[in-house]
Amino acid sequence: MENRPIVSVVIPVYNCESTIRRSLSSIRNQTYRDFETIIVNNNCSDNTISIILDEFQDLPNLKVVHCKHQGIVPALNTGLRHASGEWIARQDGDDYWHPDKLEKQMSFLLNNPEVSILGTGINIFNTSGDQLQTGTMGNPVDYPPGDHSIKTLLLYGQNAICHPSVVFNIKVVNTIGGYEQLFPLAEDLHMWLKAIPHFLFANLKERLVDYTQKQDDNYDARVPVVLADWFYALYKDTGVVEGERQPRIYDWQLDPSHHGNPRKQ
């Protein structure tokens, strides 16, 4: 019987020839080695795929698959369909993993088998390479480590798991399904909200990912709040959560003419 890798690293790529070398070099240099690398070609029209095939054939268990439907959600779901690992790790074509990122996460998961979704702390950079001190909500990014605090933030519409940092068990997908096309700019938040009744979350406090934050004029900061309100009402009615949320006003809500926020595709 063929030995399957423990982790499937899913990397959707779209026209990222200027950043893909640094991103994939950080995958190549991981101290943890029991993984496969799944590149999802989301209709690249630049040299991204040529660079991968010419320079990164030595990535562990490399697969390059094509997603004909444009968009992050179809690309992610295509990657999941090709994954054979017990755990799914997310990466993007413009982010950087510190060398011991996967090793530290897999060690934590081995010692904490009750946790199924694990993120890490992150450093945030703009597309010019300047480090930023605040995230999309205008505040410093300091993700909580524990399940209760993570779920509390999720139910306020604040994503407390950075997507390119996460490692999650494939049973999450088997239980709640894949990513939802209705929410292409909040697909990860929607996934975590669905997972709240079924799985435990955690974050490593250490900053193990350099995350590139891009401006996206199509991003609407109201969507995460609406999603959180939906799920809070559902979980309150079904007894998943108890108590009342305290009212919370975000800076962007004070200016009704401005609903956009920086957001990476």
Side-chain angles (χ1 to χ4, degrees):
M1 173 182 274
E2 181 182 359
N3 291 328
R4 296 191 301 171
I6 299 295
V7 180
S8 297
V9 180
V10 176
I11 312 170
V13 295
Y14 174 70
N15 289 356
C16 49
E17 63 181 5
S18 64
T19 59
I20 193 65
R21 287 185 176 91
R22 181 172 183 267
S23 176
L24 293 188
S25 292
S26 78
I27 303 297
R28 173 192 278 156
N29 294 331
Q30 289 298 298
T31 55
Y32 182 90
R33 305 303 295 173
D34 195 355
F35 66 90
E36 64 180 351
T37 312
I38 303 174
I39 306 289
V40 184
N41 177 7
N42 197 203
N43 302 288
C44 292
S45 58
D46 65 356
N47 293 319
T48 299
I49 300 302
S50 296
I51 291 170
I52 294 169
L53 295 179
D54 291 343
E55 302 179 27
F56 291 94
Q57 285 286 349
D58 60 337
L59 285 169
N61 302 295
L62 177 64
K63 301 178 185 175
V64 179
V65 300
H66 184 252
C67 175
K68 67 179 180 178
H69 300 291
Q70 192 67 45
I72 185 64
V73 171
L76 286 171
N77 287 331
T78 297
L80 291 179
R81 286 193 294 272
H82 286 85
S84 58
E86 178 185 358
W87 296 89
I88 305 296
R90 277 280 294 110
Q91 167 69 307
D92 285 322
D94 58 359
D95 295 320
Y96 175 87
W97 284 1
H98 295 205
D100 53 357
K101 186 258 189 194
L102 265 186
E103 181 179 359
K104 289 184 174 179
Q105 285 182 290
M106 296 313 296
S107 175
F108 178 94
L109 291 167
L110 179 64
N111 292 308
N112 298 271
E114 72 280 4
V115 172
S116 297
I117 302 169
L118 177 64
T120 77
I122 63 172
N123 300 308
I124 303 176
F125 294 83
N126 63 21
T127 54
S128 298
D130 303 315
Q131 187 165 359
L132 307 177
Q133 300 305 313
T134 61
T136 57
M137 303 304 291
N139 298 310
V141 174
D142 186 19
Y143 296 127
D147 178 74
H148 182 269
S149 296
I150 291 170
K151 289 176 176 176
T152 298
L153 285 179
L154 292 173
L155 287 170
Y156 273 107
Q158 295 188 45
N159 197 342
I161 298 284
C162 177
H163 209 188
S165 82
V166 75
V167 174
F168 61 91
N169 198 284
I170 192 62
K171 64 186 177 184
V172 174
V173 178
N174 295 337
T175 300
I176 65 175
Y179 294 91
E180 175 52 61
Q181 180 64 39
L182 287 174
F183 308 109
L185 299 180
E187 76 287 342
D188 49 343
L189 174 66
H190 182 255
M191 173 87 89
W192 312 145
L193 286 166
K194 288 191 297 179
I196 282 176
H198 307 288
F199 301 103
L200 294 183
F201 295 74
N203 274 310
L204 301 183
K205 292 294 288 182
E206 190 171 354
R207 298 180 182 225
L208 298 173
V209 174
D210 293 348
Y211 174 85
T212 302
Q213 183 171 279
K214 291 181 179 178
Q215 182 73 35
D216 185 349
D217 294 335
N218 294 319
Y219 184 66
D220 191 332
R222 295 171 295 186
V223 173
V225 176
V226 170
L227 279 173
D229 288 346
W230 287 352
F231 280 93
Y232 174 74
L234 171 64
Y235 293 153
K236 187 74 183 300
D237 287 346
T238 55
V240 173
V241 299
E242 298 178 352
E244 300 295 332
R245 292 184 305 177
Q246 297 300 313
R248 183 173 295 187
I249 299 296
Y250 301 106
D251 292 344
W252 56 264
Q253 291 175 310
L254 301 176
D255 181 4
S257 67
H258 176 71
H259 303 299
N261 263 319
R263 165 72 185 191
K264 186 171 63 178
Q265 293 271 30

